Amino acid sequence: MEMLSNTTVFISRMLILCLFFVTCKKEDEPTGSAQLLFINGLTDGRMSTVLISDSTYAELHAAFGQFTQYHRITSGNQNFKLKDNTLDSIIGSKTLNVSIDRNYSLMAAGTTANVELVLKEDDLSIPDSTKGYIRLINLSQNSLPMTMSVTAGADLATNIAYKSASGFVVMDPGKYGLTIKSGNTVIINTPTQLSVGAKKKYSILISGLVNQTPKANYDIIVNK
């Protein structure tokens, strides 16, 4: 009986030690992360802040037509919520998956009464360090598919629908004018407003409404 008792004690102690090491290993394992920037394209939107799994990310807040820098977040399936800072209430939510070591843009589209959260993965790799890269993001709710071209020059992006973004296009470093059309309607015509640098990536963000208020406008996001 004494031998059986000693054996039972030994097994119990080993089980406790195994549980201890397993718990420590889980606690020591690093949590995977991704990087996220937020774009507020809500045409009637005020300052809004992103919550992820009910945690407020104070760095991820922007007013209409504005955006944030990239901020590190936990990867995996996450519940994203958008809070209207003025009303102090949640106006939109969606569960989305973010992969470890990837970069994303979270775009709020629509209006405060009908918010849609759209996640776009951003490829920030630089295949050619002597070149710059540019893409178009269309958050103009009443637009037709958009075309972006170098003024009096080649098309850089075509048929870019609302709530979508083109791929990054290679460009030589320098200053460029851009013409952006909604269907056949010119909405942006900027002489030498974009300065493209080597090893840089840019997004031309279009927000607002075509021929309505708030008027469609552009901003330049430096992704990298």
Side-chain angles (χ1 to χ4, degrees):
M1 291 294 294
E2 183 178 353
M3 181 177 296
L4 181 60
S5 177
N6 289 339
T7 302
T8 302
V9 170
F10 175 78
I11 293 172
S12 297
R13 288 176 176 175
M14 291 300 294
L15 286 172
I16 291 170
L17 284 172
C18 288
L19 287 171
F20 173 79
F21 284 119
V22 168
T23 302
C24 288
K25 183 178 180 182
K26 285 184 177 179
E27 291 178 349
D28 291 340
E29 285 176 351
T31 301
S33 63
Q35 289 203 112
L36 182 83
L37 69 75
F38 168 57
I39 302 170
N40 187 346
L42 302 178
T43 53
D44 61 346
R46 295 172 287 265
M47 187 70 72
S48 298
T49 301
V50 175
L51 286 73
I52 304 175
S53 298
D54 291 322
S55 296
T56 300
Y57 281 69
E59 299 85 356
L60 297 174
H61 72 279
F64 163 66
Q66 297 182 0
F67 53 90
T68 69
Q69 299 299 311
Y70 285 101
H71 183 72
R72 196 162 292 280
I73 65 170
T74 303
S75 60
N77 282 317
Q78 301 285 4
N79 180 237
F80 290 84
K81 295 180 180 179
L82 191 64
K83 182 181 76 172
D84 184 305
N85 291 8
T86 301
L87 300 176
D88 193 27
S89 63
I90 302 301
I91 57 175
S93 66
K94 191 172 186 179
T95 298
L96 299 162
N97 183 268
V98 291
S99 298
I100 188 171
D101 295 331
R102 302 288 180 88
N103 304 285
Y104 297 90
S105 293
L106 179 68
M107 303 182 288
T111 64
T112 54
N114 186 23
V115 176
E116 183 172 358
L117 295 177
V118 180
L119 190 68
K120 172 69 177 177
E121 184 175 344
D122 301 337
D123 178 8
L124 300 188
S125 63
I126 305 290
D128 186 341
S129 62
T130 67
K131 304 292 185 181
Y133 301 81
I134 184 175
R135 70 174 176 180
L136 176 66
I137 298 175
N138 179 1
L139 285 184
S140 178
Q141 188 174 2
N142 70 337
S143 67
L144 296 173
M146 289 187 177
T147 298
M148 177 173 69
S149 59
V150 175
T151 301
D155 289 343
L156 301 173
T158 58
N159 202 36
I160 308 306
Y162 172 53
K163 299 182 296 187
S164 66
S166 70
F168 284 100
V169 178
V170 181
M171 297 186 73
D172 291 322
K175 289 189 175 182
Y176 293 89
L178 297 177
T179 298
I180 299 172
K181 296 179 180 179
S182 167
N184 293 320
T185 302
V186 175
I187 57 173
I188 304 292
N189 191 8
T190 64
T192 64
Q193 290 297 305
L194 177 64
S195 182
V196 175
K199 297 192 294 185
K200 304 293 288 184
K201 284 198 163 182
Y202 307 88
S203 295
I204 306 302
L205 168 64
I206 306 297
S207 56
L209 301 172
V210 177
N211 295 327
Q212 294 182 30
T213 302
K215 184 179 178 181
N217 205 351
Y218 80 99
D219 212 329
I220 301 171
I221 301 173
V222 180
N223 296 92
K224 185 172 183 177

